[in-house]
Amino acid sequence: QVQLLESGGGLVQAGGSLRLSCAASGLTFSRYTMGWFRQAPGKEREFVVHITWSGGSTYYADSAKGRFTISRDNAKNTVYLQMNSLKPEDTAVYYCAAVPRSLPYSGQTVAYWGKGTLVTVSS
């Protein structure tokens, strides 16, 4: 049974930092492009960032560029999201998502979703 377990969310003041983790089990981690989506209250889920199976390439949404950094450790089956300079508009549930590496990374190609971790940024 595949499981993506996010952790690291919480309450932080604007300008602060958080590091999210997503531990994967039940799948061959290196066969998947990994990434993060988020869903703010009353809004649709949106793409944040992804990283290729080797970690060699990353792609960020404009909202995340320059502030967020994704990384992965295939030996630990874990992907990380370092979030700096957080803003109130970053408040959302953050979801880890796995896409088979042969497919383009999008919400439509996600094979596995985590249950999410809540990030709240106060002003």
Side-chain angles (χ1 to χ4, degrees), residues 30-79:
S30 61
R31 292 182 179 176
Y32 291 86
T33 302
M34 299 298 297
W36 297 86
F37 289 77
R38 68 184 183 185
Q39 187 166 19
K43 295 188 177 181
E44 294 187 352
R45 191 176 299 188
E46 66 176 5
F47 167 78
V48 178
V49 60
H50 75 248
I51 185 167
T52 54
W53 69 274
S54 65
S57 294
T58 57
Y59 186 81
Y60 293 84
D62 287 344
S63 59
K65 287 179 182 176
R67 300 188 300 125
F68 294 3
T69 303
I70 190 171
S71 60
R72 67 188 291 164
D73 184 339
N74 286 350
K76 295 182 177 180
N77 286 5
T78 301
V79 60

Side-chain angles (χ1 to χ4, degrees), residues 5-22:
L5 183 61
E6 302 100 333
S7 61
L11 175 63
V12 63
Q13 288 188 333
S17 299
L18 282 174
R19 189 194 195 205
L20 305 184
S21 299
C22 170

